[in-house]
Amino acid sequence: MSHSVLTFIAKVKPDKVAELEQLLAEIADSLLEQTHLPFPKLTLLHFASLFLSKDETYGVTLVFENNFDGPLDAYLKELYCHAADGLHRIYSCCVDYPASSTADREQMLGYLRAHVVRPNAYHIGNPGRTAARIAQEAQLRDLLECTADTLTCSGHPKLPAQDLRQQLQAAVKRQPEFSWAANTRPRLSWAERVIPVITFWGTIVLAGLIILFFWQVTIPLILLYLVVLRWKERHDPVWIGAAQHDHVGQLTQREDRTHTFQNHMASFAIVKPGLFRLLTLRAVLWFVNLKARTAIHGELSGIPSIHFAHWSLIDGGRRLLFVSNFDGSWENYLDDFIDKASPGLTAIWSNTVDFPRTRFLIKGGARDGSRFKADARAYQVYTNVWYSAYRDLTVQSIDANSALREDLYQPLAPAGVQTWLQRL
Amino acid sequence: MTELERHDIQGIVISSYIHLSCAAYVLLRVTDAPKARRWLAEISGEITTAQGKQEQTSTNIAFTHPGLAKLGLDEHALKTFSRPFIEGMATEYRARILGDRGESAPPFWGWGNSNCDRAQEHNPNPPVDILLLLFARDEATLAAEIERRRASFVASGGVEEILLLEAGRQPDTKEHFGFNDGIGQPVIAGSGKKERQQQRTHHATELPAGEFLMGYTNDYDVIAEGPFVEPGRDPGNLLPVIPPNTQSLYDPGGNHDLGRNGTYLVFRQLAQHVADFWQFLDAATRGPDNASDSEACVRLGAKFVGRWPSGASLVQYPERDPHAADGQLTNENNFGYTQTDASGFACPIGSHVRRANPRDSIGPDAETARRSANRHRIMRRGRSYGTRQPDHFVDDGVERGLHFICLNSDIERQFEFVQLTWINNPAFGGLYNEVDPVIGNLDRTDGMMTVQCEPLRTRVHNLRRFITVRGGAYFFLPGINALRYLAALTT
């Protein structure tokens, strides 16, 4: 099962900004009950968000982020079926919106299709699992945990491991609504696991061979590139400025509200002027995307907490839109960036204005932790509306739930039984 | 390594004054700024610094943001402080991230909630402007010291006492639940304390001074940013000039340094419900015949805390307290989790000490994890208050608990991070829907604690809050020069 990760991006009519913000606030205030965008009814949806960028050069931009199961058409159908009214009201505030009423189905969907932006790079924390499957597997865990509670007494399990497992299996079998657990495929097929890895390494080997084969041309080009890069790295200005208390205060109003502290972050960074940085950024994003396809255990460069993240070059490549749906606090997320994924993200954001000083594209940069965080906050925007279909689950718990289910009826060696029981 | 400017640093930063066993914290309000400043000028020479030990008493002083404003600090300078300090502890957002819900929510506090919007409905407290920290070697000396200080601020006519929080002598270093406390503590580079900590606990984590003092290099290798004033606001040049081209974040070069040698002080009054805690453990460990099992009861308590009552770590002593019989205390602290106890079979993943400092356990490898965890350390300076409960299981109706005090140069990255990302995180370390069993926000979950065990974990249900937040505030603990500057303000 593959996911779609995309945004609809539209410009807002200047005289409609206030009205749109009011509407988005209404939606956010009663997120699960409101009928404008009844997110819980969208069975294909994982995460969605709406937010604005107000920029002197690029005007007011509305981004509607969607991460969902399957292809766009099926999702649009669902969206139109449940949220036509809300969409119509929202996009009536936007430039060039042609539909005069929600009855104009083709006009509305055509408008959305025309405004789709597919990211240059994206990451999916739990590939292969639909929103419905994630919910089912969470219910299965609840059943297993409750059953396990009955199998211990005063801190001691009553039975040996193999018997405990049989009791747990029997408890699931007794419940007809869990019959799906017996005949469901693993989260990813063999091909889905292996092909991205082959593609990734194949590309690296191919690139290496090309560089070696045409070394008379490629080596001087690379050296020239590095000279220009180093000069720019020494001279590009970095973020200097007092902390923007009001702006950050506004951002934090939206944070840490879900039970397990899932959070959302959206930012619009400005790509440094000139072709050099833009081409570098495009190349880096292409590479990150290739690498991200091989991340199948919920980790992106050692960061274990990202559900969906995307990077999109917008406004003719002059701005970099980043959206992320992650577990834990913002501070923790940024720390993970700094401690675990510094080279990758430095390679991306060092091509945008104000980023901390770097060396050779991937060194330094985010390691200047306080400046990196101040810079990230400065370009982050307020998320007006944000919805998560499973706000109590982390990337890692979703993965653990899948592992519990996949091995539920598998024949396991004694050590495997131990490992399986430890997942509870 | 930069030398610490000890004469300008308040003593509490580098010492917990263990030789002074009695303490009192006086919460004050500014009623007349010029008179209050005159009083500050009077006592600024008597503030204990990090230079030389005082055998009888020690005195330190700290300010809230509204307090600094009332003393006349200019608006520009007031904005150069960090956001948590400016906003204060009792906001809706902070209540959320610190876990102050239910009875612990700011509207119910006994002090410190004056800037909380909803306080008016319940119990508005008078605003706290100044915190005076008094330490003395014994009860009589402390009483005399309190009277002397009282006389001086009453005579000044500029400040008024709101509340006196006393922390009397305790028989030993155990907190009220009965567990040896205050063992793990980072060491400030340049403080000369490393060897002593090494001897005391067989382990010392030395961190750059900038983690606990503004104006010094921090763990990110940049100068810990602090507040500053424009040169025109310091005509007497009481404050050092910030050199240009520092690596500091917003290059305040040329301005005068108000933060240097100062830090932020977090104060939270945590009432402990000792009988609730032990009665809960007793009920959870009764045998099939409903008889109490005192050994299992203490064992479960140790699983909650992560250390035995003696202080011995469960990682090193998974089976029993090595001092169960002799009642001795131990400060042994030389252990990690990844190598010996990655699964939490000895010290549960969700236990209090493992959450409060996960050491090498949260990360792709032990070294990265340890480095990352060390960016979120705090310097604890709190003390227990109230008498010991004679029988752990019998509620005597006496108020007791912990005056939790910690120091850090970045409240958001240190104290608040610990509360939000570790203590109150339901998914901490791969756990599922539980928070710190001792100090966590147990109002928002069904109150659960998983005790990892082979072959199958057990879960303890229906935990409730064993502590209640009674009050709290964020303070700025200035350097001595900065204190003199505040005393000399003219507006």
Side-chain angles (χ1 to χ4, degrees):
Chain A
M1 181 68 209
S2 64
H3 299 96
S4 291
V5 178
L6 54 82
T7 51
F8 303 109
I9 302 185
K11 297 289 175 195
V12 183
K13 295 175 190 160
D15 59 328
K16 294 282 191 181
V17 175
E19 185 186 327
L20 179 58
E21 281 183 309
Q22 175 62 35
L23 176 60
L24 295 180
E26 265 174 47
I27 294 173
D29 285 347
S30 56
L31 186 69
L32 302 179
E33 297 83 29
Q34 48 84 28
T35 53
H36 301 297
L37 298 175
F39 294 114
K41 288 187 179 162
L42 306 177
T43 59
L44 302 173
L45 183 62
H46 292 250
F47 289 87
S49 73
L50 292 111
F51 52 89
L52 299 168
S53 153
K54 298 173 189 170
D55 188 277
E56 282 176 16
T57 315
Y58 302 103
V60 180
T61 309
L62 169 70
V63 178
F64 181 16
E65 173 207 2
N66 295 268
N67 308 294
F68 54 87
D69 296 319
L72 176 62
D73 281 341
Y75 180 66
L76 280 180
K77 200 171 156 192
E78 209 182 34
L79 202 56
Y80 181 81
C81 172
H82 295 293
D85 281 339
L87 288 172
H88 182 69
R89 278 191 65 186
I90 289 169
Y91 285 104
S92 293
C93 300
C94 293
V95 176
D96 295 334
Y97 179 67
S100 53
S101 78
T102 54
D104 271 343
R105 185 175 192 274
E106 286 319 304
Q107 294 268 34
M108 276 183 73
L109 297 187
Y111 182 83
L112 285 176
R113 277 201 194 89
H115 287 78
V116 165
V117 173
R118 293 198 184 256
N120 297 62
Y122 65 93
H123 167 74
I124 298 172
N126 302 106
R129 275 145 290 181
T130 62
R133 169 61 43 80
I134 287 170
Q136 276 181 325
E137 288 178 346
Q139 286 163 4
L140 176 64
R141 163 176 295 263
D142 287 344
L143 175 66
L144 290 170
E145 294 277 15
C146 289
T147 312
D149 281 348
T150 66
L151 298 174
T152 58
C153 169
S154 299
H156 299 291
K158 296 173 188 163
L159 301 163
Q162 191 62 53
D163 296 351
L164 288 169
R165 181 167 148 89
Q166 275 166 11
Q167 294 274 343
L168 290 164
Q169 289 169 329
V172 180
K173 277 194 185 133
R174 274 198 298 276
Q175 309 275 347
E177 64 268 37
F178 286 94
S179 58
W180 59 269
N183 38 39
T184 309
R185 291 189 311 120
R187 60 194 99 165
L188 290 174
S189 68
W190 185 82
E192 283 168 326
R193 284 165 191 272
V194 171
I195 290 172
V197 179
I198 295 175
T199 313
F200 177 72
W201 287 108
T203 309
I204 288 189
V205 170
L206 190 67
L209 286 176
I210 291 172
I211 289 170
L212 284 178
F213 195 76
F214 298 106
W215 65 273
Q216 288 103 328
V217 185
T218 53
I219 299 292
L221 274 177
I222 289 170
L223 289 176
L224 180 67
Y225 176 86
L226 288 178
V227 169
V228 177
L229 178 70
R230 285 302 293 141
W231 189 88
K232 283 182 180 287
E233 285 182 328
R234 285 205 190 88
H235 293 85
D236 285 345
V238 300
W239 172 263
I240 290 174
Q244 303 163 313
H245 291 326
D246 293 345
H247 174 61
V248 179
Q250 193 202 26
L251 295 177
T252 57
Q253 292 314 312
R254 276 279 183 263
E255 289 175 5
D256 310 314
R257 283 183 172 274
T258 68
H259 185 73
T260 53
F261 308 133
Q262 283 178 355
N263 274 305
H264 185 259
M265 174 182 183
S267 76
F268 293 83
I270 298 163
V271 180
K272 287 173 179 170
L275 209 55
F276 182 89
R277 288 295 193 176
L278 180 58
L279 290 179
T280 303
L281 180 54
R282 280 193 184 281
V284 171
L285 289 175
W286 173 81
F287 183 79
V288 166
N289 197 46
L290 206 60
K291 180 82 176 32
R293 298 287 69 73
T294 67
I296 55 170
H297 294 292
E299 293 205 355
L300 180 63
S301 295
I303 302 183
S305 55
I306 307 173
H307 291 273
F308 290 88
H310 9 148
W311 291 265
S312 309
L313 278 162
I314 59 169
D315 297 313
R318 290 334 308 175
R319 290 204 293 172
L320 176 65
L321 166 67
F322 172 64
V323 289
S324 182
N325 301 273
F326 59 93
D327 299 321
S329 60
W330 187 92
E331 281 278 329
N332 185 45
Y333 184 44
L334 274 274
D335 275 353
D336 274 356
F337 268 3
I338 295 164
D339 291 331
K340 297 163 192 166
S342 162
L345 79 99
T346 297
I348 295 176
W349 272 289
S350 65
N351 298 297
T352 67
V353 169
D354 282 343
F355 198 75
R357 202 158 295 295
T358 55
R359 298 187 309 280
F360 297 104
L361 200 62
I362 58 168
K363 292 176 81 75
R367 298 268 180 200
D368 184 352
S370 326
R371 196 181 312 276
F372 168 65
K373 285 180 185 172
D375 179 46
R377 279 298 199 195
Y379 289 99
Q380 188 182 348
V381 297
Y382 179 77
T383 299
N384 300 68
V385 176
W386 178 54
Y387 172 76
S388 160
Y390 32 86
R391 33 206 308 157
D392 291 350
L393 298 173
T394 64
V395 174
Q396 294 309 312
S397 62
I398 292 169
D399 244 26
N401 292 352
S402 296
L404 261 180
R405 193 265 305 164
E406 285 166 354
D407 289 342
L408 176 62
Y409 297 123
Q410 292 293 317
L412 296 176
V417 172
Q418 289 284 0
T419 313
W420 187 80
L421 287 173
Q422 286 308 323
R423 292 188 195 282
L424 289 172
Chain B
M1 187 198 304
T2 328
E3 193 94 353
L4 298 184
E5 294 167 350
R6 286 170 176 269
H7 61 280
D8 195 39
I9 297 170
Q10 294 203 43
I12 194 169
V13 176
I14 66 148
S15 170
S16 50
Y17 303 133
I18 44 172
H19 60 293
L20 304 173
S21 36
C22 299
Y25 310 105
V26 197
L27 303 175
L28 300 170
R29 170 160 69 151
V30 174
T31 50
D32 181 317
K35 288 177 181 168
R37 290 195 298 255
R38 224 166 296 144
W39 173 71
L40 278 185
E42 247 170 65
I43 66 159
S44 62
E46 300 168 23
I47 299 300
T48 309
T49 69
Q51 204 167 39
K53 182 166 157 183
Q54 293 183 341
E55 295 299 337
Q56 298 293 323
T57 63
S58 284
T59 306
N60 289 121
I61 191 165
F63 303 85
T64 62
H65 197 255
L68 294 172
K70 278 191 207 162
L71 285 170
L73 188 62
D74 70 276
E75 256 181 59
H76 178 270
L78 282 167
K79 282 186 186 151
T80 61
F81 285 90
S82 76
R83 196 169 53 86
F85 175 68
I86 293 174
E87 293 175 357
M89 191 184 280
T91 67
E92 201 213 312
Y93 167 68
R94 301 226 129 67
R96 193 161 76 228
I97 66 169
L98 299 178
D100 298 342
R101 300 288 178 107
E103 276 177 55
S104 294
F108 302 103
W109 288 1
W111 61 274
N113 71 6
S114 65
N115 66 344
C116 157
D117 331 328
R118 285 166 52 226
Q120 309 313 327
E121 304 161 23
H122 300 270
N123 174 23
N125 309 141
V128 175
D129 297 324
I130 301 176
L131 167 68
L132 198 59
L133 305 106
L134 305 175
F135 302 86
R137 56 176 296 183
D138 55 38
E139 287 79 356
T141 317
L142 182 69
E145 181 69 0
I146 292 172
E147 279 325 302
R148 193 168 74 86
R149 293 296 176 198
R150 258 191 194 138
S152 91
F153 62 67
V154 168
S156 79
V159 286
E160 193 178 87
E161 183 173 323
I162 299 171
L163 197 60
L164 178 78
L165 301 167
E166 285 203 74
R169 183 193 296 271
Q170 300 290 335
D172 52 40
T173 51
K174 286 183 174 178
E175 49 68 56
H176 285 300
F177 291 139
F179 294 83
N180 192 16
D181 193 19
I183 300 167
Q185 211 49 312
V187 174
I188 301 176
S191 68
K193 301 269 176 175
K194 188 172 179 182
E195 209 150 291
R196 212 178 76 184
Q197 181 77 345
Q198 186 78 41
Q199 269 170 13
R200 192 173 79 91
T201 70
H202 299 133
H203 169 81
T205 300
E206 193 175 56
L207 296 177
E211 292 296 293
F212 305 103
L213 281 170
M214 296 166 191
Y216 295 82
T217 305
N218 68 15
D219 208 40
Y220 285 125
D221 234 10
V222 295
I223 304 285
E225 41 179 286
F228 55 87
V229 299
E230 292 164 319
R233 296 280 183 178
D234 181 21
N237 287 317
L238 292 168
L239 300 171
V241 178
I242 303 175
N245 279 333
T246 62
Q247 308 141 297
S248 172
L249 188 56
Y250 40 98
D251 194 15
N255 288 294
H256 291 202
D257 202 343
L258 187 63
R260 189 168 184 83
N261 294 316
T263 189
Y264 289 114
L265 182 150
V266 177
F267 196 136
R268 281 160 79 76
Q269 182 182 353
L270 309 175
Q272 291 176 270
H273 313 301
V274 178
D276 282 356
F277 182 76
W278 284 103
Q279 283 169 8
F280 176 86
L281 295 170
D282 172 54
T285 49
R286 286 188 179 221
D289 53 352
N290 204 29
S292 291
D293 179 343
S294 64
E295 205 185 313
C297 177
V298 172
R299 179 188 302 273
L300 185 60
K303 290 280 188 186
F304 277 23
V305 173
R307 289 184 185 269
W308 295 101
S310 69
S313 168
L314 294 185
V315 177
Q316 291 166 310
Y317 301 94
E319 295 307 322
R320 60 189 57 81
D321 193 341
H323 298 290
D326 61 22
Q328 300 257 312
L329 302 185
T330 169
N331 290 321
E332 174 64 48
N333 197 35
N334 189 23
F335 63 89
Y337 297 111
T338 300
Q339 288 256 313
T340 37
D341 191 29
S343 307
F345 295 142
C347 180
I349 291 168
S351 64
H352 171 63
V353 300
R354 198 158 169 162
R355 281 181 179 267
N357 178 12
R359 300 179 185 226
D360 57 359
S361 64
I362 307 284
D365 61 85
E367 195 37 49
T368 308
R370 193 184 290 279
R371 210 176 47 229
S372 176
N374 279 339
R375 302 238 168 86
H376 310 288
R377 300 298 301 277
I378 51 176
M379 188 65 74
R380 291 182 291 157
R381 290 289 184 247
R383 291 186 176 212
S384 289
Y385 69 90
T387 54
R388 282 287 161 81
Q389 189 164 307
D391 182 335
H392 274 158
F393 294 92
V394 183
D395 190 359
D396 59 0
V398 174
E399 164 88 14
R400 56 173 61 81
L402 176 70
H403 288 311
F404 173 89
I405 294 176
C406 79
L407 306 175
N408 47 192
S409 62
D410 187 339
I411 297 173
E412 213 169 359
R413 173 164 66 82
Q414 294 168 283
F415 169 69
E416 289 184 349
F417 184 100
V418 173
Q419 286 288 127
L420 173 61
T421 307
W422 292 343
I423 298 291
N424 284 317
N425 181 357
F428 173 85
L431 292 170
Y432 211 80
N433 211 8
E434 59 187 67
V435 298
D436 188 303
V438 183
I439 65 165
N441 174 16
L442 288 158
D443 292 316
R444 64 181 288 179
T445 66
D446 88 324
M448 197 166 62
M449 160 83 181
T450 304
V451 181
Q452 287 81 28
C453 183
E454 272 179 308
L456 185 62
R457 92 289 179 283
T458 49
R459 297 198 297 183
V460 186
H461 291 278
N462 303 317
L463 273 71
R464 43 185 191 263
R465 265 185 190 274
F466 304 115
I467 66 123
T468 304
V469 184
R470 293 267 194 254
Y474 290 146
F475 295 91
F476 169 56
L477 184 89
I480 303 298
N481 281 330
L483 181 60
R484 292 211 176 95
Y485 173 80
L486 295 173
L489 285 169
T490 49
T491 42

